[in-house]
Structure formats: structure tokens, C-alpha cells
Amino acid sequence: MNITADVSFYPLVENYKPEIKNFIHQLRGYSDLELVTNQLSTQIRGDGELVMAALNKCMLTSMQGGDKVVFVARYLNSDLDISVKPDID
């Protein structure tokens, strides 16, 4: 089953951008997943087990860095096309 996830990462440090970029680059290493990143979050689409395993691994890696971090994740049990902007009219 394919799923769609939305994750936001908030490192609780002054120099937060490198940590966010590293997290996104880790996720991009999973070629079987589709990713769309914007200023607020990253959406991930693909096989449910792979999406969850990739997120868990990348989040744990970030958490083991020693700094306090916050992740906010939402999961949709549907194969949402994240490459197309929705028609809201």
C-alpha cells in the first residue's frame, strides 16, 4: 500500500538550517520515494513500509546528534499525488 507523509523538522538550536538540510538530503537518498520540499515541510510518497522506515531512520539519526529537536509528522493512508498543486476553485 502506498502512503503519503508530511514531516516538519524543528532543531532547537540557533544554527538550525544545516540540520534541516542534512535531514532532507538523507531522505533524498531513498530513490524509491517521491519527495517534495517547501518552506514549511517535506512530503514523502511511496510504499508505506519504506516511507515509515526511511522517516524513522532519518529522524533517529537527527535525534542522536545531541541537540534537542522536534518532529511533526502526519500520515495519510492514500497515494496522494504530491507533484501537482491542488485545484482549490
Side-chain angles (χ1 to χ4, degrees), residues 3-89:
I3 68 169
T4 306
D6 178 80
V7 63
S8 297
F9 176 34
Y10 304 99
L12 301 180
V13 294
E14 188 172 330
N15 189 21
Y16 58 88
K17 288 182 183 179
E19 292 193 40
I20 294 171
K21 289 178 181 180
N22 186 47
F23 175 71
I24 293 168
H25 287 297
Q26 286 179 60
L27 283 173
R28 287 182 180 169
Y30 291 86
S31 60
D32 293 340
L33 299 179
E34 180 182 353
L35 268 75
V36 173
T37 300
N38 60 45
Q39 293 87 344
L40 295 175
S41 65
T42 297
Q43 291 81 41
I44 306 105
R45 175 184 180 198
D47 176 74
E49 290 187 25
L50 182 57
V51 169
M52 289 189 275
L55 276 173
N56 283 340
K57 183 172 183 180
C58 294
M59 287 190 294
L60 282 172
T61 299
S62 295
M63 289 178 190
Q64 293 169 342
D67 295 321
K68 291 182 181 179
V69 300
V70 174
F71 285 96
V72 177
R74 298 179 296 168
Y75 295 89
L76 174 66
N77 63 340
S78 180
D79 193 17
L80 184 65
D81 187 357
I82 59 177
S83 66
V84 178
K85 291 183 179 181
D87 180 13
I88 59 171
D89 292 327

